[in-house]
């Protein structure tokens, strides 16, 4: 997974980003997202303090669009946004000096900025075990709602920080009695391409995504989960 760093500098960097993203960047390092005004996901990223700057660590495939969107909101804010060439290392073993703990889940280990390296960790296995969504796999721009994707459980949204783009829709979903749909982990026999519809008794339940070790992350309607379900040639079962 290739990452790109957007470096945010300037005296207004904290209030500027605070008014746009789902998490409290004053507590960085944090995981956060930028949403549409309708509350749908556009991109997720880590925000990491770096001296007099904030580093926005995003999937490289979304970096230019994210930079464009952030730049649209600059107006008179005293900030500068730049794509910088900075390698990102990550691992789950002993962390090098200066590394940052991944704020989503302890199992995701650490990230180190300015140094390249991969330690051979099976990241898909970790994500499936802990139901952690991935950019452009379970997290789909203009489609995903972050609460259905587990952002509250994974410390990616702050409900006390004040307004941000898409905040009203997210807050309304938070205060519902329960979410009707969302990500969950199912047991799987066989395999299915990412995005394959899940059905049970002729009704659509949801779709299957990342699979590892006999389990799969799936987005489902909770009231339609059945004792046995199908996704293409694969069979799925509640854990």
């Amino acid at each position: 997974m290739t990452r790109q760093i957007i470096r945010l500098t300037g005296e207004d960097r904290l209030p500027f980003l605070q008014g746009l993203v789902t998490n409290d960047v004053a507590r960085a390092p944090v995981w956060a997202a930028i949403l549409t005004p309708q509350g749908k996901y556009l991109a997720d990223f880590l925000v990491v303090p770096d001296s007099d700057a904030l580093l926005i660590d995003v999937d490289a495939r979304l970096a230019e669009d994210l930079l464009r969107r952030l730049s649209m909101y600059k107006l008179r804010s005293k900030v500068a946004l730049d794509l910088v060439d900075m390698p990102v290392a990550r691992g789950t073993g002993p962390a090098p000096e200066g590394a940052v703990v991944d704020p989503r889940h302890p199992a995701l280990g650490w990230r180190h900025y300015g140094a390249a390296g991969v330690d051979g960790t099976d990241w898909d296995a970790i994500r499936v075990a802990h139901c952690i969504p991935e950019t452009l796999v379970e997290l789909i721009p203009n489609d995903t709602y972050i609460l259905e994707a587990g952002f509250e459980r994974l410390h990616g949204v702050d409900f006390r920080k004040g307004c941000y783009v898409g905040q009203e829709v997210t807050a309304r979903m938070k205060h519902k009695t329960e979410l009707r749909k969302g990500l969950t982990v199912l047991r799987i026999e066989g395999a299915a391409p990412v995005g394959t519809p899940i059905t049970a008794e002729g009704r659509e339940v949801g779709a299957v995504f990342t699979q590892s070790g006999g389990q799969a992350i799936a987005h489902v309607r909770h009231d339609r989960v059945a004792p046995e379900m199908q996704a293409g040639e694969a069979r799925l079962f509640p854990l």
Side-chain angles (χ1 to χ4, degrees):
M1 178 180 56
T2 304
R3 307 296 290 183
Q4 174 70 60
I5 302 299
I6 299 172
R7 186 175 176 87
L8 173 61
T9 55
E11 62 185 81
D12 292 341
R13 62 189 181 278
L14 278 172
F16 167 75
L17 201 58
Q18 189 79 302
L20 297 176
V21 305
T22 61
N23 215 336
D24 182 358
V25 296
R27 297 189 295 106
V30 293
W31 183 47
I34 190 166
L35 311 179
T36 69
Q38 296 75 34
K40 292 189 175 183
Y41 163 93
L42 287 171
D44 66 298
F45 37 83
L46 281 83
V47 180
V48 179
D50 180 43
S51 185
D52 59 351
L54 292 172
L55 304 181
I56 300 172
D57 172 0
V58 64
D59 187 299
R61 294 167 292 179
L62 298 183
E64 289 194 4
D65 184 67
L66 177 60
L67 178 64
R68 180 182 62 80
R69 289 181 185 279
L70 292 174
S71 298
M72 284 170 45
Y73 289 104
K74 277 178 59 176
L75 302 177
R76 294 191 176 95
S77 297
K78 296 177 181 178
V79 297
L81 291 150
D82 299 286
L83 291 173
V84 296
D85 185 14
M86 181 181 290
V88 182
R90 59 191 302 216
T92 54
E97 184 177 354
V100 174
V101 174
D102 194 305
R104 290 172 289 179
H105 194 284
L108 289 173
W110 50 264
R111 304 170 90 85
H112 191 217
Y113 295 91
V118 180
D119 71 352
T121 298
D122 186 342
W123 298 106
D124 278 352
I126 290 174
R127 292 199 308 101
V128 171
H130 300 286
C131 200
I132 300 169
E134 181 62 87
T135 307
L136 299 176
V137 183
E138 291 84 16
L139 297 174
I140 303 169
N142 293 296
D143 184 73
T144 298
Y145 288 105
I146 61 167
L147 296 190
E148 293 182 359
F151 266 65
E152 184 174 10
R153 174 176 55 86
L154 296 168
H155 319 295
V157 59
D158 189 306
F159 290 101
R160 298 169 296 180
K161 61 162 289 224
C163 293
Y164 54 88
V165 178
Q167 182 262 344
E168 290 185 8
V169 175
T170 305
R172 284 201 300 271
M173 292 183 72
K174 161 70 174 172
H175 296 297
K176 282 184 174 181
T177 54
E178 60 181 348
L179 291 173
R180 295 175 56 204
K181 298 186 288 186
L183 293 181
T184 191
V185 178
L186 302 173
R187 184 167 65 86
I188 187 168
E189 293 181 359
V194 166
T196 299
I198 300 171
T199 59
E201 300 173 353
R203 295 202 303 173
E204 187 164 327
V205 177
V208 66
F209 293 97
T210 306
Q211 299 146 59
S212 178
Q215 296 182 339
I217 297 176
H219 185 271
V220 299
R221 271 191 55 165
H222 299 301
D223 62 344
R224 292 189 178 181
V225 172
E228 181 172 337
M229 296 160 283
Q230 296 76 42
E233 299 298 317
R235 296 193 302 160
L236 297 118
F237 311 86
L239 288 178

